[in-house]
Amino acid sequence: MQSSGSDINRLCECGICYEGLQDAHICSQCSNPFCHKCIAQWLDQHHDCPVCRKHLSKQKLVKARIYEQVLEYAEVATKGTNCTKHRCQELSLFCWTCMECACVTCLFSKTHAKHKEQVVLFECASKKLKTRVSNELGWIIRRDQEIDQAIGLHGDNVMKLSAEKNRIFANIQQVLDAVKGQFDKECAKQQDKINLLEADKKSNSELRGTAEEWIKSEKRYGQLPKIAAGLKLGRFNSTLTKPKPVEKVKPNLKNDLIPELIQFTQPIDGREISQIFKVDGGFEFKVQISHDGVTFYKVALTIEKGIGGVYLVSLGSNPLEPIKFVLRQASPLGRVHPGTDAAPSVTVKVQLAKTYAEKCVQLQRYVHQLESGVYELSESLRFQ
C-alpha cells in the first residue's frame, strides 16, 4: 500500500515543534523523532522524554539519518513543488505578510499564527503576483536599457580620453625631438672644434719631438731644416702660438623653444561672461567676467583641463604674479575698469612654463591624469 504525502509528513514531524524534522534524533527508549535543537532545549530543562516520559539525556539521543533520507526522497518525487519545512505537503497557499508560499501545515504553525488572514490560496494570489512581476519586469527592462546607454557613453569617454592621451604623447614627443635636435647640433659643433684641436695637437707634438731631439744631440744636423722652418714661421714664439682659451659649452636653445605667454582677450559687452579657451597641450581655461559695482568687473580664471599648480598670471597691463590654481576651481584675478574704449576688453596672460623641460613635465603629469581617468571609467564599466 502506497503511503500518502500527509502520512509521510506526520511520520517526519518533530514531537515538540510539530514541524518538519531538522537534524533528526530519536529517543533511545521510545524511538520518537525530534529536531536536535528542539530536544536539546527540552533536555536543558527536563530529564525525561516529552513523549514516553522515561529518563533521557543528551548522551542517549540517537541520530536518525533515515528520516532525512525519506524527506529527500519525497522531495525528489514531488519535483520540488512541496513545502521545504513540511516536505511532503504540497504548496497551495501564499502569505502576503511573509511574501512566501506555504502549505496547510504551515498555516497552523507559529510562523503564520498571528496573520492567518493574510494567507490565501495560491490561485488567488497568482493574478496580483503576475501584475506586480510585470511592473517590476518593465522597470528592469528600462534599467537594462539605461545601463546599455551608460556603457555607450562611458565607452565614448574612454575613446575620447585615449585620443587626447595619444595627442598629448605626440606633442611631448615633438617637444623632445626638437630639444634633442638642438643638442645634437650643438654637440656636432663642439666635435668639429675637437677635431681641429686634435689635428693642431698632432702637428705640435711632431714639432716638439723634433726640437727636443735636436737639442739633445747637436751633432745631428738633419733636423735643422725643420727647426729653421719652425723658427721662420714663428712656431716657437710663445706670443704667437699661445692657444685660445676653450669656451665652456652652454646649451643654447632657440627662443622659439621657450613657451611663450598664453594670452586670452575677452570683449566686454555689459553681460556676465563665461568663456572657454583651448590651448596647445590639452589645457582648457575658463575666463569668467561678472559685475562688481557699477563700472568695475571681476575677473576669475579656472583650469578646466590640465593640471593644477602655481602659474604666473597677469590681468591687463599688470605684471605677472604667481597664483596657485586647483583644477576646476575658479581663482580670482582682480577687478578691471572697461574705460571709454569703443570695444572694451579684458586681457589675461598665463605663463604655463618657463622652459621646455617644465612643459614636458606638465604634459607628462597631464597624461597621467588622463590615464587615471581611463582606468576609473574602465573599472566603473566592469562593475556595472
Side-chain angles (χ1 to χ4, degrees):
M1 180 177 179
Q2 187 176 4
S3 298
S4 64
S6 58
D7 293 335
I8 297 177
N9 188 60
R10 283 193 295 272
L11 177 65
C12 298
E13 278 185 353
C14 172
I16 297 176
C17 67
Y18 299 104
E19 294 188 357
L21 289 168
Q22 302 291 333
D23 190 12
H25 283 65
I26 62 174
C27 172
S28 58
Q29 303 293 333
C30 63
S31 299
N32 277 298
F34 308 96
C35 297
H36 183 263
K37 181 179 179 181
C38 295
I39 190 63
Q41 291 177 351
W42 172 272
L43 293 177
D44 286 339
Q45 301 177 1
H46 306 82
H47 301 285
D48 56 0
C49 173
V51 178
C52 67
R53 297 299 177 181
K54 293 182 180 180
H55 182 269
L56 183 64
S57 63
K58 293 182 181 180
Q59 290 75 16
K60 292 184 179 181
L61 291 174
V62 179
K63 182 173 177 62
R65 172 64 179 160
I66 185 64
Y67 288 97
E68 296 179 3
Q69 293 174 344
V70 170
L71 290 174
E72 290 174 0
Y73 173 78
E75 185 175 2
V76 172
T78 54
K79 298 181 181 180
T81 59
N82 283 12
C83 179
T84 56
K85 295 180 180 179
H86 312 98
R87 300 183 185 180
C88 297
Q89 287 284 349
E90 184 179 359
L91 293 171
S92 58
L93 303 173
F94 184 82
C95 178
W96 287 107
T97 301
C98 301
M99 290 300 292
E100 63 181 15
C101 299
C103 66
V104 176
T105 305
C106 290
L107 179 61
F108 297 98
S109 66
K110 57 184 179 181
T111 304
H112 305 283
K114 295 182 179 180
H115 51 265
K116 290 182 180 179
E117 67 279 359
Q118 295 295 322
V119 180
V120 298
L121 291 174
F122 190 76
E123 289 78 4
C124 297
S126 178
K127 292 183 179 180
K128 291 184 178 180
L129 289 173
K130 285 184 179 180
T131 302
R132 184 169 180 176
V133 170
S134 298
N135 295 335
E136 294 293 334
L137 182 61
W139 178 86
I140 292 173
I141 292 174
R142 290 193 299 272
R143 176 58 181 163
D144 193 39
Q145 294 173 348
E146 291 175 356
I147 291 175
D148 289 339
Q149 185 178 5
I151 290 174
L153 292 175
H154 285 305
D156 292 340
N157 288 337
V158 170
M159 293 179 62
K160 291 178 181 178
L161 287 172
S162 298
E164 182 73 3
K165 182 191 73 172
N166 294 335
R167 189 179 70 82
I168 296 298
F169 267 122
N171 196 337
I172 292 175
Q173 189 60 47
Q174 184 179 3
V175 170
L176 294 177
D177 291 342
V179 175
K180 182 177 179 296
Q182 290 294 313
F183 278 108
D184 290 343
K185 187 175 181 180
E186 187 66 28
C187 289
K189 290 181 180 180
Q190 298 301 321
Q191 187 61 46
D192 291 340
K193 293 181 179 180
I194 290 174
N195 295 337
L196 292 174
L197 290 172
E198 287 180 345
D200 190 15
K201 181 180 179 181
K202 182 179 180 181
S203 176
N204 192 66
S205 298
E206 292 178 356
L207 184 61
R208 174 185 172 182
T210 301
E212 289 178 347
E213 186 178 357
W214 181 66
I215 291 172
K216 290 179 181 179
S217 178
E218 296 182 357
K219 295 181 180 180
R220 298 183 63 182
Y221 301 104
Q223 304 295 338
L224 186 58
K226 290 185 178 180
I227 300 299
L231 290 171
K232 184 177 181 179
L233 295 175
R235 298 191 64 180
F236 293 99
N237 189 338
S238 61
T239 59
L240 297 177
T241 59
K242 185 177 181 180
K244 296 181 180 180
V246 179
E247 298 179 358
K248 292 184 179 180
V249 179
K250 293 183 179 180
N252 183 21
L253 300 179
K254 291 184 178 179
N255 292 331
D256 58 357
L257 288 180
I258 300 177
E260 298 179 355
L261 284 174
I262 299 170
Q263 180 172 310
F264 314 116
T265 301
Q266 177 61 48
I268 300 177
D269 55 4
R271 298 179 295 108
E272 293 192 354
I273 299 170
S274 179
Q275 181 67 36
I276 297 291
F277 293 90
K278 297 182 179 181
V279 300
D280 186 31
F283 282 68
E284 288 188 9
F285 292 87
K286 180 168 70 175
V287 177
Q288 295 172 289
I289 303 174
S290 58
H291 291 284
D292 186 18
V294 180
T295 58
F296 284 90
Y297 290 87
K298 292 188 298 184
V299 182
L301 186 66
T302 307
I303 300 179
E304 291 293 325
K305 286 186 179 181
I307 54 176
V310 178
Y311 299 104
L312 297 177
V313 183
S314 69
L315 179 61
S317 59
N318 296 332
L320 291 170
E321 294 182 357
I323 296 180
K324 185 176 182 180
F325 288 90
V326 179
L327 192 63
R328 299 185 185 89
Q329 290 188 13
S331 297
L333 302 184
R335 301 195 311 164
V336 295
H337 190 283
T340 58
D341 296 339
S345 62
V346 172
T347 300
V348 179
K349 297 179 181 179
V350 182
Q351 175 73 73
L352 288 181
K354 295 180 181 179
T355 65
Y356 242 140
E358 291 181 9
K359 186 173 182 180
C360 288
V361 171
Q362 288 179 349
L363 292 176
Q364 286 174 345
R365 289 175 58 192
Y366 185 43
V367 168
H368 290 323
Q369 283 188 355
L370 294 176
E371 289 177 337
S372 299
V374 172
Y375 175 77
E376 291 175 0
L377 285 175
S378 301
E379 288 296 305
S380 64
L381 289 175
R382 189 164 66 89
F383 288 106
Q384 282 187 352

